[in-house]
Amino acid sequence: MNHLILITSLILLFNPRLDHQRSDVAFENVSSTHLPSIVLSSHNSMDAEVVDIDMDGDLDMVIAVEFYKNVILLNDGTGKFEDGSHLIPDKEIKKEVLPYRYYPYHDSEDVAVEDFDHDGDYDIVIVTEDDQKNEHYVWTGNKYVDKSDEFPVTGVTNGLTAADLNGDGGMDLVLANNGQDEILMNVKGTFIEETSSRYPESDDITQDIEAADVDGDGDLDLIVGNENLSKLLLNHGNGSFSDETTIRFKGVEIRETREVDAADVDGDGDLDLFLSNVLLFQKHEPIQQLLINDGKGFFTDETSSRMNVETETGFVDSDFNDLDMDGDLDLIMGGFGGLKIMENDGSGHFKDVTLTLVKEEIKSIIIDVEMADFDQDGKNDIYLSVFRGPDIYLKGN
């Protein structure tokens, strides 16, 4: 998701639109005909990563599933998916007395898919929360091998991001934890924990971390979404970070964040921020927040003047993409109240067009939102990871 947002932003930067022309797109629920039964059950899909994992030219998905085997969905090239989860080895029961109800499966929360070992194919890392057992799968030519026992850290982890933090070409990891977040540097395909020398001390409950060059200096900074106050960490250029929250988020308080997204919403060439927030523990308003970048990495909260989002329980995930193919980045959000689609007018002002574009009202608890052209027809489709219900696939027509 992170890479798709950044790539889209760069495309828009170097291909400015001549005018703002909207191409209406209506979405049809094709879940029953395009998805396998494995994701139409009532398991909890927590996060999906869109990637051509079998490298056959179409987009597949890897899904982190809470307390069940994680899922691979393979695209047949027409946007219909089959269950490819057999590529991931089954977990073995190694204890006579089961330590928790869902053993040997884990409280999977978030997934990253990258060529971590530089061998030309994709590897998988999935982080877990309550049972504190992260998973690492390496492709060996015809299947994945479970390397989880070699993963260097354990802990209560809610999310992760994969990014080249020090510019050496290797994809590093940042883990969003209850307590100290962690940095794992990729050294020739091996993860080395280097938190103390690279990352500020933290004692937050971090739910999401986004890597993006917010100050335009050519390296990736970190936006840290916390249950209490979210933070902005600037990269010194070598993969070490300092906390500049009070300087760059001056006067802005961000609480109960579940998702951070970086995108150039107003078309001025820099990355703005959208934070999906909830009302669960802090009971702190405002809920959603759109922060506009001044071009140098200093942000102003312009939510009230740019988008009218009703105060509600909140959204737990969001994604930017040019949904209507008019040359700017629209916003799709999912949460406890279902689905919401916000159309960008080209200047970074948004309006709710959900009921116009989606043929049915969706009230599922949506944990993750992904947008991509799965059927290769030139129009974006939407995949919704659902908590306690079947996942949803909306085809763009």
Side-chain angles (χ1 to χ4, degrees):
M1 182 167 61
N2 298 341
H3 303 306
L4 289 176
I5 291 172
L6 292 175
I7 291 170
T8 305
S9 299
L10 290 173
I11 291 172
L12 293 177
L13 176 61
F14 292 105
N15 292 274
R17 57 187 178 277
L18 297 177
D19 53 62
H20 184 78
Q21 296 180 345
R22 171 177 166 173
S23 173
D24 283 326
V25 178
F27 291 93
E28 178 184 2
N29 190 335
V30 295
S31 307
S32 62
T33 57
H34 286 60
L35 296 179
S37 60
I38 188 69
V39 292
L40 294 177
S41 61
S42 294
H43 299 299
N44 300 333
S45 295
M46 303 301 293
D47 182 57
E49 183 85 355
V50 177
V51 60
D52 183 9
I53 199 162
D54 55 5
M55 293 184 285
D56 64 350
D58 53 46
L59 293 174
D60 314 299
M61 278 181 284
V62 181
I63 304 175
V65 182
E66 190 176 59
F67 300 128
Y68 197 72
K69 183 177 180 179
N70 299 302
V71 170
I72 292 178
L73 295 184
L74 297 177
N75 193 334
D76 70 356
T78 69
K80 293 183 178 181
F81 293 93
E82 61 183 28
D83 184 6
S85 307
H86 61 278
L87 297 173
I88 302 175
D90 291 326
K91 293 290 184 181
E92 296 181 8
I93 297 177
K94 299 179 180 180
K95 300 180 181 180
E96 292 184 6
V97 179
L98 303 186
Y100 53 90
R101 178 180 175 186
Y102 300 99
Y103 180 85
Y105 295 111
H106 303 295
D107 185 11
S108 302
E109 295 291 319
D110 206 358
V111 57
V113 184
E114 298 285 351
D115 181 11
F116 291 114
D117 55 6
H118 312 287
D119 64 352
D121 49 48
Y122 288 106
D123 310 300
I124 301 170
V125 173
I126 297 172
V127 293
T128 64
E129 188 179 15
D130 291 344
D131 62 286
Q132 303 184 37
K133 180 64 175 179
N134 299 316
E135 300 177 66
H136 183 196
Y137 299 98
V138 176
W139 185 253
T140 60
N142 58 2
K143 63 179 181 179
Y144 280 99
V145 173
D146 191 347
K147 298 286 188 179
S148 303
D149 290 339
E150 300 174 14
F151 200 74
V153 295
T154 61
V156 178
T157 304
N158 304 304
L160 82 164
T161 189
D164 182 6
L165 301 178
N166 58 358
D168 67 351
M171 297 301 291
D172 312 301
L173 292 175
V174 188
L175 275 61
N177 294 335
N178 286 20
Q180 178 66 54
D181 298 329
E182 293 168 308
I183 284 186
L184 307 182
M185 301 303 293
N186 188 334
V187 181
K188 297 181 179 179
T190 299
F191 292 119
I192 307 296
E193 191 270 317
E194 298 185 4
T195 306
S196 61
S197 62
R198 294 182 179 274
Y199 197 96
E201 289 186 10
S202 62
D203 191 26
D204 304 305
I205 300 176
T206 304
Q207 293 288 344
D208 186 47
I209 297 178
E210 172 88 352
D213 182 10
V214 299
D215 57 358
D217 65 352
D219 53 42
L220 294 175
D221 310 301
L222 297 176
I223 309 96
V224 182
N226 292 326
E227 283 193 11
N228 195 359
L229 290 172
S230 296
K231 296 179 179 180
L232 177 58
L233 309 182
L234 285 197
N235 194 333
H236 296 163
N238 60 356
S240 60
F241 297 84
S242 59
D243 187 346
E244 295 205 9
T245 307
T246 57
I247 300 172
R248 295 177 181 270
F249 285 171
K250 189 175 183 179
V252 179
E253 284 194 355
I254 309 163
R255 298 178 188 269
E256 286 272 34
T257 299
R258 289 300 184 272
E259 171 76 8
V260 179
D261 286 285
D264 181 8
V265 303
D266 52 6
D268 64 354
D270 54 47
L271 292 175
D272 311 298
L273 302 176
F274 181 78
L275 297 105
S276 301
N277 304 325
V278 298
L279 275 177
L280 284 179
F281 306 115
Q282 304 289 337
K283 303 299 182 184
H284 181 89
E285 296 189 53
I287 307 298
Q288 315 313 313
Q289 289 175 285
L290 178 62
L291 308 184
I292 299 301
N293 194 334
D294 70 350
K296 298 179 181 179
F298 295 85
F299 293 87
T300 304
D301 188 341
E302 298 187 12
T303 314
S304 60
S305 63
R306 290 180 177 270
M307 60 181 0
N308 180 20
V309 182
E310 294 181 6
T311 299
E312 46 193 294
T313 307
F315 296 97
V316 297
D317 193 52
S318 54
D319 199 4
F320 282 100
N321 208 317
D322 186 5
L323 197 59
D324 50 12
M325 298 175 293
D326 63 351
D328 54 44
L329 293 174
D330 309 299
L331 177 64
I332 180 170
M333 301 179 287
F336 301 105
L339 175 70
K340 191 177 291 292
I341 299 174
M342 307 292 290
E343 181 189 44
N344 192 337
D345 70 354
S347 65
H349 295 79
F350 295 84
K351 69 176 180 178
D352 186 350
V353 294
T354 311
L355 298 180
T356 302
L357 296 184
V358 182
K359 295 181 179 180
E360 63 183 76
E361 188 175 14
I362 295 174
K363 287 295 187 180
S364 302
I365 301 174
I366 299 168
I367 301 297
D368 184 64
V369 174
E370 301 294 335
M371 285 188 285
D373 182 9
F374 292 114
D375 54 6
Q376 304 181 84
D377 66 350
K379 298 177 181 178
N380 280 312
D381 312 301
I382 302 173
Y383 189 88
L384 305 174
S385 298
V386 173
F387 188 78
R388 295 178 181 171
D391 289 358
I392 298 170
Y393 179 18
L394 303 177
K395 173 178 165 37
N397 295 319

